[in-house]
Amino acid sequence: MTRRCRGCGNSTLTPVLDLGAVPAADHFPPRDTAIATYDAGHPLRMDQCADCGLAQLADDDTVTAEPRGIEPQALRDQAAAAVRLVHDAGLLHGHTVTEFGSPHGGTWLPLLTEHGFTETAGGPADVVLDCFGIMHEPDQRAAFAARAAATAADGVLLVQYHSLATIVAQGQWNALRHGHFAYYSLRTLRSLLQAAGMSVVTAWEFDLYGGTVLLAVRHGDHAPDAAVEKILAAEAEALAATAQLQDTVDRHVHALRDWLEAGAAQGHRVYAYGAASRAVALLAMAGAHRGLLAAVADASPAKQGCRMPGTDVPIISPAELVAANPDVVLLTLPDLLAEVRTALPELDGRWTIDDPGGPRR
């Protein structure tokens, strides 16, 4: 059967990133289970539509329950800043709000409550929120239509997404994972929203995840402001290099493996922090094992007592990490650095950040 674009239905799809078969990103097996029993590989490939430009998960044959993580402080801080900016722009009108949540957790509803809004489950709302939620929808066209229908005629839809331009420019190939069905450029989002009868009126950029964008969207045909035009111009250059993502994979995987082996050769007690979905393919492809990486710490109780998929590396609590007195801690999510430094002062000076170019202090 011919595959069609999840967004526009076009049948011309081109592979731009293929990781082969890797463990499911959201299934963390019990710590003492055999790898062969639980860690079957699943195809993981990103295709791009020749028509609307949507980068998308080619297929997903995983069926797993994603353990809910702990929302990072950086994400909470950014959410508060985003709501202040939308308020200051005069776009928070009305009294009702609804949210299309993300399975990763987190909510903006309390922030809207502070501005006098009340959550509604029935009927269109004056403000509709989607923070990293829509990328989890296999049928993108239906997902945008649903969000348009949930937005009142004179209301605003707020959509936040991790920029594809950032993923390409910073070599964030491991943003590709099972359960994430779409990776957006602003150009593509404008097209998909237009098909749902809506227009992007303004946008804000944030440093979260290396480059996150928040859009304010309204029903009807509206001219974009200068902020939208600026992002469109900047992303065009970055997206021209999308095909180079594939080359980044080998460099990143080999650099991490070399770093882990060098640490083991020097007798270092190497640990990691952040059992994030984007660390799953990376650690599995790098051949991480307990002899190279003693454990990965994570604040989510749902992940503690499990292991990283495709490896025998256990997941432990932050308290256990401190008690282990590691020589080096690899941080898999750079956005967590300020938070973990504050929460775990005992580890000061031991943090190393994972990077596509190789771990860096």
Side-chain angles (χ1 to χ4, degrees), residues 30-322:
R31 176 173 180 165
D32 296 324
T33 54
I35 294 177
T37 304
Y38 286 87
D39 299 69
H42 302 269
L44 187 56
R45 191 181 80 235
M46 178 191 290
D47 289 348
Q48 190 164 31
C49 176
D51 190 8
C52 72
L54 181 66
Q56 55 202 273
L57 189 63
D59 295 291
D60 189 352
D61 64 355
T62 64
V63 182
T64 56
E66 180 167 340
R68 185 157 292 231
I70 302 298
E71 188 179 24
Q73 184 64 45
L75 193 57
R76 296 195 294 272
D77 291 344
Q78 185 272 329
V83 171
R84 285 196 300 270
L85 288 170
V86 177
H87 175 265
D88 292 346
L91 290 169
L92 293 183
H93 300 294
H95 305 284
T96 57
V97 61
T98 192
E99 184 174 48
F100 289 84
S102 163
H104 297 298
T107 176
W108 288 19
L109 289 175
L111 297 170
L112 271 294
T113 300
E114 294 175 4
H115 287 279
F117 286 83
T118 302
E119 183 179 10
T120 178
D126 298 310
V127 176
V128 176
L129 306 170
D130 190 308
C131 177
F132 306 125
I134 198 166
M135 69 187 302
H136 296 89
E137 301 279 2
D139 188 337
Q140 288 285 294
R141 181 157 46 182
F144 280 100
R147 284 149 181 78
T151 307
D154 58 349
V156 63
L157 166 63
L158 300 175
V159 179
Q160 179 158 291
Y161 65 99
H162 185 198
S163 166
L164 177 61
T166 292
I167 292 172
V168 173
Q170 299 185 13
Q172 298 178 2
W173 61 270
N174 51 342
L176 174 64
R177 52 148 289 185
H178 302 109
H180 286 184
F181 293 94
Y183 305 84
Y184 306 106
S185 67
L186 179 50
R187 171 185 169 273
T188 293
L189 277 170
R190 289 184 70 195
S191 174
L192 297 178
L193 287 162
Q194 185 177 31
M198 304 191 79
S199 302
V200 177
V201 294
T202 192
W204 298 269
E205 296 179 273
F206 302 91
D207 292 335
L208 187 69
Y209 303 145
T212 295
V213 180
L214 173 66
L215 303 181
V217 187
R218 303 188 67 183
H219 286 287
D221 188 12
H222 301 276
D225 69 359
V228 174
E229 298 294 352
K230 177 184 175 183
I231 295 173
L232 287 170
E235 74 175 15
E237 182 177 355
L239 294 175
T242 300
Q244 296 178 13
L245 268 179
Q246 190 71 54
D247 296 331
T248 306
V249 177
D250 287 342
R251 292 198 302 271
H252 192 175
V253 169
H254 289 146
L256 177 59
R257 176 71 184 202
D258 290 345
W259 182 82
L260 290 171
E261 289 181 341
Q266 295 170 38
H268 291 165
R269 292 163 297 173
V270 180
Y271 286 70
Y273 190 101
S277 59
R278 69 175 54 193
V280 171
L282 174 61
L283 293 180
M285 293 173 70
H289 57 78
R290 290 185 188 183
L292 299 176
L293 184 65
V296 177
D298 197 276
S300 171
K303 295 180 182 179
Q304 294 163 13
C306 299
R307 59 176 172 78
M308 293 301 295
T311 81
D312 64 354
V313 178
I315 302 173
I316 62 176
S317 69
E320 290 175 298
L321 175 65
V322 171

